[in-house]
Amino acid sequence: FTAEQTGQLANNIALGQLPFGLDQVEMRSVGAQLGMTALESSVKAGMIGLALVMLFMLVVYRLPGLVSCMALLFYCVLEALVLVIFKVNLSLPGIAGIILSIGMAVDANVVIFERVKEELRAGKTLRSSIDSGFHRAFSAILDSNITTFIAAAVLYFFGKGTIVGFAVTLGVGIVLSMFTALTVTRLLLNSLVGMKVTNLKLYGLNERRDA
């Protein structure tokens, strides 16, 4: 550009300028306390949800419901130990993953108990009904958990940030919930039969048969 062209360009730019100013209307600062409050609220909501689920299991399934509550508490302790051992940072989405896996553990117990009830109504003994119920429920539980685990794996490998935390807690929860539902619950039920707790009213039925 020549000096004349440069001056003309500067004049054109200046002609497009508009006078304006910035006035501060409002200013807010967000500290770490907000995240801590949200974390505490999420944990409280999770505890309330867990208590309501346990109450439902006790009312509907009676003694097996009590067994599932004990298995759920064992699951919660086991998952806490795994998260501490592997030093997993627990975020709000991570808590959501834990709560979701708790729901899946309860769902597995519901499927098992319904199968056991079907076997009892068919006239089988209590011990054989428990064995058959777990055997019949295994495929349904396995399929649902595998599909959810695949979704968690996809979120882990392709997700970013807090999504990864959700995928980690969900994946760990799926594995542990299957373990508690298929082993701990079964062990406790068989232990009750071994202690001669065979009144079928305690197992959600009105009839009474010999175990």
Side-chain angles (χ1 to χ4, degrees):
F1 293 98
T2 63
E4 183 179 356
Q5 291 174 333
T6 303
Q8 183 64 36
L9 180 60
N11 291 332
N12 291 336
I13 295 175
L15 289 175
Q17 292 180 351
L18 295 176
F20 71 94
L22 294 177
D23 295 327
Q24 180 176 310
V25 177
E26 184 179 0
M27 182 176 66
R28 296 183 181 182
S29 60
V30 179
Q33 186 175 1
L34 179 63
M36 181 59 66
T37 302
L39 182 61
E40 292 176 354
S41 300
S42 299
V43 172
K44 185 182 296 184
M47 297 299 293
I48 293 174
L50 179 62
L52 291 176
V53 167
M54 294 174 67
L55 178 62
F56 171 82
M57 296 298 292
L58 288 172
V59 172
V60 175
Y61 294 101
R62 303 177 189 178
L63 189 59
L66 177 62
V67 169
S68 69
C69 293
M70 296 172 64
L72 277 178
L73 292 176
F74 180 77
Y75 158 79
C76 293
V77 173
L78 198 61
E79 179 151 12
L81 289 175
V82 171
L83 295 179
V84 170
I85 291 173
F86 291 97
K87 299 180 180 180
V88 177
N89 292 326
L90 193 59
S91 60
L92 295 181
I95 296 175
I98 295 174
I99 295 175
L100 180 59
S101 59
I102 289 175
M104 295 190 65
V106 173
D107 179 68
N109 285 324
V110 168
V111 174
I112 292 170
F113 297 156
E114 289 297 328
R115 294 292 183 270
V116 171
K117 277 178 151 183
E118 291 175 0
E119 298 297 323
L120 288 173
R121 293 190 185 101
K124 292 185 177 181
T125 63
L126 183 56
R127 186 178 295 276
S128 62
S129 296
I130 292 174
D131 294 336
S132 299
F134 274 88
H135 179 73
R136 292 180 57 193
F138 177 76
S139 60
I141 296 172
L142 182 64
D143 291 344
S144 63
N145 281 274
I146 286 178
T147 53
T148 308
F149 189 83
I150 291 173
V154 172
L155 290 176
Y156 178 80
F157 288 106
F158 296 99
K160 301 292 183 182
T162 56
I163 298 299
V164 176
F166 172 79
V168 170
T169 55
L170 179 60
V172 172
I174 290 171
V175 176
L176 296 180
S177 65
M178 278 196 64
F179 170 75
T180 54
L182 297 176
T183 59
V184 177
T185 303
R186 185 170 187 170
L187 176 64
L188 292 176
L189 285 177
N190 285 325
S191 298
L192 290 175
V193 176
M195 292 186 292
K196 305 300 181 182
V197 184
T198 57
N199 188 346
L200 297 188
K201 291 183 179 180
L202 299 176
Y203 294 86
L205 293 182
N206 295 324
E207 303 91 353
R208 179 178 177 86
R209 301 187 186 94
D210 294 332

